[in-house]
Amino acid sequence: MPTKSLLNKVDLTHEKSLKTLVENRTVFSLDHCELNIFETYEESNLVPLKFNDLVVTSMLRGKKVMHLFDDPSFEYLPGETVIVPQNVEMKIDFPEATKNNPTQCIALAIDKKIIIDTLDFLNDKYPKEGKNNYWKLDYENYFFYNNVELASTINKLIKDCMGTDITKDALANLTLQELIVRIIQTQTAKRFDDNLLIDSNSPIAPTVEYIRKNIRENINLKELSEKACMSTTSFYRHFKRELGMSPIEYILNEKLKFAKKLLSNPSLQVNEVSYATGFEDCNYFIRLFKKYEGVTPKQYQLMNFSR
């Protein structure tokens, strides 16, 4: 399972200032976006919510169950983001909300014009490789985990919206552009993780397949650029633009993901997992695993086995 990056929590509304116990709303309005902070303090079901603009929602506290489009309902937890197109109604359950365990979620409504202008700018100044391969939001891929970069951008935008700086509208506009880029990159990476169809014109697809087939090996940038039929410099730049991370960072993520899969087998030793994922130095593997996962491989294995 991919690692989730949590957002910074926002202070809860003082009890005396609450207008309702279900989806109490605090609003911060800027020129091209509106930040809504919703809090719920009691169990509720099928609460409707709809916005006139595209909305980016992210959980801060507690748990919701989302009903969206005609898809099956799903749990919505901190470290996760859902984007909802304009005028699409979502219905929300709050199965665990209480005064001592409230849910808190941000909903960022973004003006359509800034989305169009940002996508036009990206397609003009930073066109993607391949025919008919454009920067665009993927509305089918609407639920994903926050990576470090996406969480950092959302945190920055929340700070901009809630701040008092005289230039906060200008700062927020720049961060909104970054947010759109980060969402598209996160969606693209998730499509690869879910083995969903990626544009066949993209040179990234064969390199991702090559990485996964050779995850036990030491893969270098030259091999990947040759698979993509690009120079090393062009490939590196394109890969990072497409997925929001360098090829080496992606390889590391895939190795750790494969390591976690192997660690679900309680009979495997950590050194066996280390070698199976291409790390010759087991101590280095342990340090790296703990850095990214927060626990050692052995601790992860025990946690997984005890579930």
Side-chain angles (χ1 to χ4, degrees):
M1 180 178 291
T3 302
K4 295 188 289 188
S5 294
L6 303 179
L7 298 183
N8 298 333
K9 291 180 179 177
V10 176
D11 289 341
L12 292 167
T13 304
H14 192 279
E15 186 175 359
K16 292 182 179 179
S17 300
L18 290 173
K19 297 179 282 292
T20 175
L21 295 180
V22 178
E23 291 293 69
N24 184 79
R25 182 182 185 186
T26 305
V27 182
F28 300 87
S29 296
L30 277 71
D31 285 347
H32 295 108
C33 68
E34 177 187 85
L35 173 66
N36 300 268
I37 302 174
F38 290 99
E39 300 166 19
T40 294
Y41 294 81
E42 65 181 23
E43 183 179 339
S44 305
N45 292 307
L46 298 177
V47 178
L49 186 62
K50 181 164 63 173
F51 289 86
N52 294 327
D53 294 303
L54 170 86
V55 64
V56 177
T57 76
S58 287
M59 286 292 288
L60 303 180
R61 308 171 193 255
K63 180 174 83 171
K64 295 182 179 182
V65 175
M66 297 288 288
H67 305 266
L68 192 55
F69 305 112
D70 293 322
D71 294 343
S73 61
F74 58 93
E75 288 189 353
Y76 191 19
L77 301 167
E80 301 171 356
T81 288
V82 170
I83 63 169
V84 184
Q86 64 185 56
N87 297 319
V88 170
E89 184 177 74
M90 54 190 117
K91 291 187 177 179
I92 310 166
D93 299 338
F94 302 88
E96 300 175 359
T98 65
K99 286 188 176 181
N100 294 324
N101 182 39
T103 67
Q104 187 183 50
C105 178
I106 66 110
L108 186 76
I110 306 175
D111 181 44
K112 184 177 180 179
K113 185 177 186 304
I114 199 167
I115 296 173
I116 293 172
D117 289 348
T118 300
L119 294 176
D120 286 346
F121 171 78
L122 290 169
N123 284 313
D124 180 43
K125 298 296 183 182
Y126 304 99
K128 294 190 174 189
E129 298 289 333
K131 187 178 179 182
N132 297 322
N133 190 18
Y134 301 110
W135 288 92
K136 58 186 177 182
L137 289 166
D138 181 358
Y139 295 109
E140 294 181 0
N141 192 5
Y142 55 82
F143 173 56
F144 40 86
Y145 291 174
N146 299 337
N147 55 36
V148 173
E149 293 79 11
L150 179 59
S152 175
T153 306
I154 296 174
N155 281 330
K156 192 192 308 181
L157 199 44
I158 293 172
K159 185 179 178 182
D160 289 343
C161 291
M162 296 179 68
T164 56
D165 194 308
I166 194 171
T167 61
K168 70 177 186 178
D169 276 296
L171 294 171
N173 287 346
L174 294 172
T175 312
L176 282 169
Q177 292 179 323
E178 181 181 352
L179 178 64
I180 293 166
V181 172
R182 295 299 185 193
I183 288 173
I184 295 171
Q185 291 171 334
T186 304
Q187 289 178 322
T188 303
K190 184 174 183 292
R191 278 194 166 271
F192 282 122
D193 285 341
D194 294 345
N195 294 315
L196 297 175
L197 180 65
I198 301 293
D199 193 318
S200 58
N201 294 308
S202 171
I204 297 300
T207 65
V208 168
E209 183 180 1
Y210 180 79
I211 289 169
R212 290 178 176 168
K213 285 184 177 179
N214 296 275
I215 199 65
R216 301 169 184 263
E217 309 299 327
N218 290 319
I219 306 167
N220 60 53
L221 195 58
K222 186 172 184 297
E223 292 175 79
L224 296 178
S225 58
E226 288 174 353
K227 289 288 177 186
C229 300
M230 301 171 72
S231 70
T232 301
T233 302
S234 295
F235 171 73
Y236 180 94
R237 184 170 58 245
H238 178 73
F239 193 103
K240 188 159 189 177
R241 183 187 305 167
E242 193 85 1
L243 297 186
M245 65 185 86
S246 71
I248 303 306
E249 289 171 327
Y250 187 82
I251 291 169
L252 177 59
N253 285 342
E254 288 297 302
K255 284 182 178 291
L256 291 177
K257 187 164 68 174
F258 184 57
K260 288 190 286 185
K261 182 178 179 180
L262 295 178
L263 287 167
S264 65
N265 182 348
S267 66
L268 282 179
Q269 298 296 316
V270 171
N271 65 328
E272 294 178 291
V273 174
S274 173
Y275 298 140
T277 46
F279 294 97
E280 295 181 2
D281 185 338
C282 185
N283 289 328
Y284 174 69
F285 166 69
I286 292 171
R287 290 197 304 272
L288 206 59
F289 192 98
K290 186 172 183 180
K291 176 183 176 182
Y292 285 91
E293 300 300 326
V295 293
T296 66
K298 191 62 181 177
Q299 288 170 330
Y300 181 88
Q301 189 176 46
L302 292 172
M303 288 164 52
N304 189 73
F305 187 57
S306 63
R307 288 174 186 169

